[in-house]
Amino acid sequence: MKNWSEAIHDGMLGGALAAAATVGVLALCGRRETRSAAAPLNAVSHVYWGEQALHENRASLRYTGAGFVTHLLSALMWGIVYEKLLGERRARSLLRVARDTAAATAAIAAVDFKVVPARLTPGFEHRLSTPSLFGVYTALGLALAAATRWSSSQRAHRWRTRSRSAAVSTPPSAARSDR
């Protein structure tokens, strides 16, 4: 299991990637289903602006900006939680990453729609169909999986590089111990 420092570092990457992927899916699905790419993100701001945000179609700083920032912070938080609970210092098999990420994404959706009070749900579920919601959470899972695979491979690469350089850079005085 990663320590908090590693989980925060890697989780920020995963969360940022997840936010970008899910905002893209939200915009595409919103455009297709409501004729407004901003509508699903506007709905996220229902946390602050109430029912009106669930029906707003135009992009605005008040609704879209607040919805984007809230969505980004949520994705960053889930990225950190994911890395702390499921992230490992060494690379896992692709099958194991897929299994773990599918379970984590299902748990995130359950928290989003069943655990938190209605005022704290994502909001975009009021504007999008069930298949589109599935697409949003699939994008979330794929982004978290890609980020954890990348961060694990980078950590392994740095470890191998340090090990090789430590072996190569033996000080000359240590090499001549016959004196």
Side-chain angles (χ1 to χ4, degrees):
M1 181 182 285
K2 293 180 179 179
N3 63 40
W4 277 108
S5 177
E6 293 168 332
I8 290 169
H9 178 270
D10 294 346
M12 295 292 272
L13 170 69
L17 187 58
T22 55
V23 164
V25 173
L26 287 168
L28 289 172
C29 293
R31 181 88 173 140
R32 186 181 71 231
E33 294 180 16
T34 69
R35 294 192 184 116
S36 169
L41 270 179
N42 289 343
V44 174
S45 72
H46 78 104
V47 172
Y48 314 107
W49 312 122
E51 188 78 19
Q52 176 60 31
L54 299 175
H55 305 290
E56 186 62 41
N57 288 327
R58 290 185 325 235
S60 68
L61 189 57
R62 177 181 178 133
Y63 295 110
T64 317
F68 175 78
V69 169
T70 303
H71 185 71
L72 173 63
L73 292 173
S74 174
L76 292 172
M77 186 255 330
W78 283 123
I80 292 166
V81 169
Y82 175 87
E83 287 295 336
K84 181 59 182 161
L85 297 178
L86 296 173
E88 293 183 14
R89 290 185 173 122
R90 58 184 171 78
R92 295 177 282 172
S93 72
L94 189 55
L95 182 61
R96 186 163 174 217
V97 169
R99 180 200 67 201
D100 291 350
T101 303
T105 304
I108 291 168
V111 168
D112 280 353
F113 299 121
K114 300 293 183 189
V115 176
V116 299
R119 183 68 178 224
L120 299 179
T121 63
F124 51 72
E125 72 276 11
H126 295 281
R127 301 304 305 263
L128 299 177
S129 65
T130 301
S132 291
L133 294 176
F134 183 78
V136 170
Y137 283 89
T138 298
L140 172 74
L142 290 172
L144 291 175
T148 199
R149 281 289 281 195
W150 186 82
S151 64
S152 293
S153 70
Q154 291 301 304
R155 187 167 279 106
H157 175 73
R158 283 192 304 270
W159 184 83
R160 283 192 304 272
T161 303
R162 281 189 205 133
S163 295
R164 278 191 222 125
S165 64
V168 171
S169 65
T170 307
S173 60
R176 290 186 240 140
S177 61
D178 57 340
R179 291 184 191 192

